[in-house]
Structures are given as structure tokens and as C-alpha cells.
Amino acid sequence: ISLFSFLVFLRYQIYYGYPLQTYLEYPIIIAQDVILLLYILRFNGNMKQALFYAVIFCGGWYMLTLHKWIIYIAMNLCTFISAASKLVQLWCLWQIRDPGQVSALTWSMSAYTCAS
């Protein structure tokens, strides 16, 4: 879910011609999320869905700049979407009822993402 907000931020900054130094972390974060998504799909045996996600990714990338108001609305929704993704993570942990099921690497990645 948070991948959407990263895409919107990146597209917004490219669309308005910001210098590369101001948004360099977004392509790196997006690449990390895409690699993680591919690993999850691979290990769950759902690699056929990767094409669906690639089409959504490319279509969303193009549609964000069809009209100026679309990217403005998307930017305004990014904070809500990022918060919603954290709530979904907490909900999943609540259903598991055991935060020990989540590895230390996952906790540290989540803490790093929240801090950045």
C-alpha cells in the first residue's frame, strides 16, 4: 500500500522538475518494495500476479499526470494511504496475537521506514 504513496511522490517531483538530489531516495525505496513484492509472490507461488502488478504500476505512473488535478488529489491522499498501511500492519499483528512471529529484520525495516 505504501508503494503507491512512494510512486506518487516520485512522479510529482519528476513532473515538476525537482532536482534529482531532492527525491533520490524514492527510486531506491520503490526498488526495494518491488523486489520485496517479487520475493513474496515467488515464495507464495503467485508469480503470475506479477504481470498484473506491473500493469497497475505502469498504468498508474502514466495516469497520474493526465491532468494536474489528479496528481494533486493523489498527493493529498498519500498521508492517509501511508497511515492506512501502518494500520493494516498492526491489524495483521493483532490477528496473529504474537509479535514474536515477525522477525527482527522486519521490525527493524519497519522502524527504519517510519523514521525516514
PDB file of all heavy atoms in Angstrom, residues 36 101-113:
ATOM      1  N   LEU A  36      10.869  -6.792  -2.833  1.00  0.00           N
ATOM      2  CA  LEU A  36      10.188  -7.492  -1.743  1.00  0.00           C
ATOM      3  C   LEU A  36       8.880  -8.106  -2.222  1.00  0.00           C
ATOM      4  O   LEU A  36       8.571  -9.258  -1.900  1.00  0.00           O
ATOM      5  CB  LEU A  36       9.930  -6.528  -0.584  1.00  0.00           C
ATOM      6  CG  LEU A  36       9.245  -7.107   0.637  1.00  0.00           C
ATOM      7  CD1 LEU A  36      10.110  -8.178   1.288  1.00  0.00           C
ATOM      8  CD2 LEU A  36       8.934  -6.006   1.625  1.00  0.00           C
ATOM      9  N   GLN A 101       6.227 -13.554  16.040  1.00  0.00           N
ATOM     10  CA  GLN A 101       6.177 -14.197  14.733  1.00  0.00           C
ATOM     11  C   GLN A 101       6.873 -13.356  13.669  1.00  0.00           C
ATOM     12  O   GLN A 101       7.268 -13.857  12.641  1.00  0.00           O
ATOM     13  CB  GLN A 101       4.719 -14.417  14.308  1.00  0.00           C
ATOM     14  CG  GLN A 101       3.967 -15.390  15.158  1.00  0.00           C
ATOM     15  CD  GLN A 101       4.214 -16.810  14.710  1.00  0.00           C
ATOM     16  OE1 GLN A 101       4.624 -17.051  13.588  1.00  0.00           O
ATOM     17  NE2 GLN A 101       3.958 -17.739  15.605  1.00  0.00           N
ATOM     18  N   VAL A 102       6.978 -12.069  13.927  1.00  0.00           N
ATOM     19  CA  VAL A 102       7.615 -11.160  12.981  1.00  0.00           C
ATOM     20  C   VAL A 102       9.103 -11.121  13.307  1.00  0.00           C
ATOM     21  O   VAL A 102       9.494 -10.946  14.457  1.00  0.00           O
ATOM     22  CB  VAL A 102       6.988  -9.750  13.081  1.00  0.00           C
ATOM     23  CG1 VAL A 102       7.623  -8.811  12.091  1.00  0.00           C
ATOM     24  CG2 VAL A 102       5.488  -9.819  12.862  1.00  0.00           C
ATOM     25  N   SER A 103       9.930 -11.265  12.291  1.00  0.00           N
ATOM     26  CA  SER A 103      11.372 -11.328  12.520  1.00  0.00           C
ATOM     27  C   SER A 103      11.942  -9.966  12.936  1.00  0.00           C
ATOM     28  O   SER A 103      11.332  -8.926  12.712  1.00  0.00           O
ATOM     29  CB  SER A 103      12.079 -11.799  11.248  1.00  0.00           C
ATOM     30  OG  SER A 103      12.003 -10.808  10.254  1.00  0.00           O
ATOM     31  N   ALA A 104      13.109 -10.021  13.522  1.00  0.00           N
ATOM     32  CA  ALA A 104      13.788  -8.786  13.933  1.00  0.00           C
ATOM     33  C   ALA A 104      14.104  -7.918  12.721  1.00  0.00           C
ATOM     34  O   ALA A 104      14.063  -6.693  12.799  1.00  0.00           O
ATOM     35  CB  ALA A 104      15.057  -9.127  14.702  1.00  0.00           C
ATOM     36  N   LEU A 105      14.411  -8.552  11.590  1.00  0.00           N
ATOM     37  CA  LEU A 105      14.681  -7.794  10.364  1.00  0.00           C
ATOM     38  C   LEU A 105      13.436  -7.019   9.937  1.00  0.00           C
ATOM     39  O   LEU A 105      13.524  -5.855   9.554  1.00  0.00           O
ATOM     40  CB  LEU A 105      15.136  -8.738   9.251  1.00  0.00           C
ATOM     41  CG  LEU A 105      15.417  -8.096   7.901  1.00  0.00           C
ATOM     42  CD1 LEU A 105      16.561  -7.090   8.015  1.00  0.00           C
ATOM     43  CD2 LEU A 105      15.737  -9.159   6.871  1.00  0.00           C
ATOM     44  N   THR A 106      12.270  -7.654  10.028  1.00  0.00           N
ATOM     45  CA  THR A 106      11.028  -6.977   9.654  1.00  0.00           C
ATOM     46  C   THR A 106      10.752  -5.802  10.578  1.00  0.00           C
ATOM     47  O   THR A 106      10.378  -4.720  10.121  1.00  0.00           O
ATOM     48  CB  THR A 106       9.847  -7.967   9.707  1.00  0.00           C
ATOM     49  OG1 THR A 106      10.149  -9.072   8.873  1.00  0.00           O
ATOM     50  CG2 THR A 106       8.569  -7.307   9.251  1.00  0.00           C
ATOM     51  N   TRP A 107      10.949  -6.000  11.877  1.00  0.00           N
ATOM     52  CA  TRP A 107      10.740  -4.904  12.822  1.00  0.00           C
ATOM     53  C   TRP A 107      11.705  -3.756  12.541  1.00  0.00           C
ATOM     54  O   TRP A 107      11.329  -2.593  12.570  1.00  0.00           O
ATOM     55  CB  TRP A 107      10.929  -5.377  14.263  1.00  0.00           C
ATOM     56  CG  TRP A 107       9.753  -6.113  14.809  1.00  0.00           C
ATOM     57  CD1 TRP A 107       9.681  -7.446  15.061  1.00  0.00           C
ATOM     58  CD2 TRP A 107       8.475  -5.584  15.152  1.00  0.00           C
ATOM     59  NE1 TRP A 107       8.449  -7.765  15.549  1.00  0.00           N
ATOM     60  CE2 TRP A 107       7.689  -6.637  15.619  1.00  0.00           C
ATOM     61  CE3 TRP A 107       7.924  -4.303  15.112  1.00  0.00           C
ATOM     62  CZ2 TRP A 107       6.376  -6.466  16.046  1.00  0.00           C
ATOM     63  CZ3 TRP A 107       6.611  -4.132  15.538  1.00  0.00           C
ATOM     64  CH2 TRP A 107       5.865  -5.203  15.994  1.00  0.00           C
ATOM     65  N   SER A 108      12.965  -4.070  12.250  1.00  0.00           N
ATOM     66  CA  SER A 108      13.943  -3.013  12.005  1.00  0.00           C
ATOM     67  C   SER A 108      13.648  -2.286  10.686  1.00  0.00           C
ATOM     68  O   SER A 108      13.805  -1.064  10.617  1.00  0.00           O
ATOM     69  CB  SER A 108      15.357  -3.568  12.019  1.00  0.00           C
ATOM     70  OG  SER A 108      15.536  -4.525  11.014  1.00  0.00           O
ATOM     71  N   MET A 109      13.229  -3.012   9.668  1.00  0.00           N
ATOM     72  CA  MET A 109      12.859  -2.363   8.392  1.00  0.00           C
ATOM     73  C   MET A 109      11.661  -1.445   8.595  1.00  0.00           C
ATOM     74  O   MET A 109      11.619  -0.335   8.059  1.00  0.00           O
ATOM     75  CB  MET A 109      12.570  -3.406   7.326  1.00  0.00           C
ATOM     76  CG  MET A 109      13.801  -4.069   6.774  1.00  0.00           C
ATOM     77  SD  MET A 109      13.530  -5.434   5.625  1.00  0.00           S
ATOM     78  CE  MET A 109      12.114  -4.998   4.707  1.00  0.00           C
ATOM     79  N   SER A 110      10.690  -1.880   9.370  1.00  0.00           N
ATOM     80  CA  SER A 110       9.517  -1.054   9.630  1.00  0.00           C
ATOM     81  C   SER A 110       9.882   0.179  10.431  1.00  0.00           C
ATOM     82  O   SER A 110       9.413   1.284  10.125  1.00  0.00           O
ATOM     83  CB  SER A 110       8.474  -1.869  10.386  1.00  0.00           C
ATOM     84  OG  SER A 110       7.354  -1.092  10.668  1.00  0.00           O
ATOM     85  N   ALA A 111      10.737   0.008  11.435  1.00  0.00           N
ATOM     86  CA  ALA A 111      11.182   1.161  12.237  1.00  0.00           C
ATOM     87  C   ALA A 111      11.961   2.145  11.385  1.00  0.00           C
ATOM     88  O   ALA A 111      11.793   3.358  11.494  1.00  0.00           O
ATOM     89  CB  ALA A 111      12.010   0.686  13.415  1.00  0.00           C
ATOM     90  N   TYR A 112      12.823   1.630  10.505  1.00  0.00           N
ATOM     91  CA  TYR A 112      13.610   2.491   9.622  1.00  0.00           C
ATOM     92  C   TYR A 112      12.702   3.266   8.678  1.00  0.00           C
ATOM     93  O   TYR A 112      12.887   4.471   8.456  1.00  0.00           O
ATOM     94  CB  TYR A 112      14.625   1.663   8.841  1.00  0.00           C
ATOM     95  CG  TYR A 112      15.345   2.432   7.776  1.00  0.00           C
ATOM     96  CD1 TYR A 112      16.345   3.337   8.122  1.00  0.00           C
ATOM     97  CD2 TYR A 112      15.016   2.293   6.440  1.00  0.00           C
ATOM     98  CE1 TYR A 112      17.003   4.062   7.159  1.00  0.00           C
ATOM     99  CE2 TYR A 112      15.665   3.018   5.461  1.00  0.00           C
ATOM    100  CZ  TYR A 112      16.671   3.899   5.823  1.00  0.00           C
ATOM    101  OH  TYR A 112      17.314   4.626   4.860  1.00  0.00           O
ATOM    102  N   THR A 113      11.702   2.581   8.110  1.00  0.00           N
ATOM    103  CA  THR A 113      10.777   3.244   7.194  1.00  0.00           C
ATOM    104  C   THR A 113       9.986   4.328   7.901  1.00  0.00           C
ATOM    105  O   THR A 113       9.816   5.434   7.364  1.00  0.00           O
ATOM    106  CB  THR A 113       9.812   2.207   6.584  1.00  0.00           C
ATOM    107  OG1 THR A 113      10.573   1.194   5.926  1.00  0.00           O
ATOM    108  CG2 THR A 113       8.872   2.838   5.594  1.00  0.00           C
TER     109      THR A 113
END
